[in-house]
Amino acid sequence: MNRRLLMVLGVLLASSAALAEEKAPEFSGPQVGEKLPPFTTRQALGDQAGKEIDLLKMAAGKPVAILFVHEVNRPSVGLARAIGNYAASRQGDGLTAGVVFLTADATETTEWLKRASGALPAGLPLGISTDGPEGPGAYGLNRNVTMTILVGKGDKVTANFALVQPSLQVDGPKIAQAIVDCLGSGQAPTAAELEKLAGPRRPDR
């Protein structure tokens, strides 16, 4: 009986350890308080298509929100659209924001962006990292996450979100609140309000 009990306890402990390992937080990009180095993205859409820009240079020390998309799927595009549209609405308050897609095939991703433009945020830069799928080398981005979202001011990170499974309902309000805190004004939208900003869901193409 004791031996069987020990075996059961051993299995339970192993399962607990495995669950703890699975739930360990992922880290990606500069952490809170660390510097936001300059980097370039190549714009994919609109009049600025093909032009390289530097979001940090554009922000000039003022609040900035950068959405790195490591993997394109329904949750990542939905969250990028909602937060991107909210960020675009705060540009008049001094926020600079942009969405940066990380890819090994810039041509294919550019074509996808053109086809999917109706499902993407409007009114802010949508670009492709000029540093390939790893993103800017100085950022230390984690390829195991689906999105890395950074909010900062004074060229330093004020909030970092490394998302393995992006959720508009769970992560959206936290990210919006981080933008509000960085700007020092306004009220963060609720999950329901962010869902409206995300617009109707469209089938993957």
Side-chain angles (χ1 to χ4, degrees), residues 43-164:
Q43 296 312 288
L45 304 175
D47 296 338
Q48 300 296 312
K51 180 182 178 181
E52 292 187 6
I53 67 167
D54 184 336
L55 290 170
L56 276 302
K57 186 176 180 180
M58 290 170 59
K62 295 180 180 179
V64 62
I66 308 167
L67 287 68
F68 288 104
V69 180
H70 302 251
E71 180 182 343
V72 171
N73 54 37
R74 192 184 297 276
S76 66
V77 171
L79 183 59
R81 179 174 170 83
I83 294 299
N85 283 337
Y86 173 66
S89 74
R90 300 302 308 269
Q91 289 180 129
D93 299 315
L95 178 69
T96 296
V99 183
V100 182
F101 291 86
L102 307 179
T103 176
D105 191 332
T107 301
E108 181 182 342
T109 302
T110 298
E111 291 305 312
W112 175 84
L113 286 168
K114 291 176 181 177
R115 295 194 303 271
S117 59
L120 299 171
L124 76 172
L126 302 174
I128 295 172
S129 172
T130 56
D131 298 291
E134 301 288 347
Y139 274 63
L141 297 172
N142 184 347
R143 294 188 69 176
N144 293 322
V145 304
T146 302
M147 298 181 77
T148 302
I149 299 177
L150 303 173
V151 180
K153 185 178 182 180
D155 294 334
K156 289 187 177 180
V157 179
T158 57
N160 175 304
F161 300 89
L163 308 177
V164 177

Side-chain angles (χ1 to χ4, degrees), residues 177-197:
Q177 185 62 57
I179 292 173
V180 168
D181 292 342
C182 188
L183 287 169
S185 65
Q187 184 173 352
T190 63
E193 290 169 335
L194 285 171
E195 285 183 0
K196 290 181 180 179
L197 285 171

Side-chain angles (χ1 to χ4, degrees), residues 15-66:
S15 299
S16 298
L19 284 171
E21 187 174 345
E22 287 177 6
K23 292 180 181 179
E26 292 282 359
F27 293 92
S28 180
Q31 300 302 297
V32 174
E34 294 181 348
K35 186 175 177 56
L36 282 167
F39 69 96
T40 58
T41 63
R42 183 175 293 109
Q43 296 312 288
L45 304 175
D47 296 338
Q48 300 296 312
K51 180 182 178 181
E52 292 187 6
I53 67 167
D54 184 336
L55 290 170
L56 276 302
K57 186 176 180 180
M58 290 170 59
K62 295 180 180 179
V64 62
I66 308 167

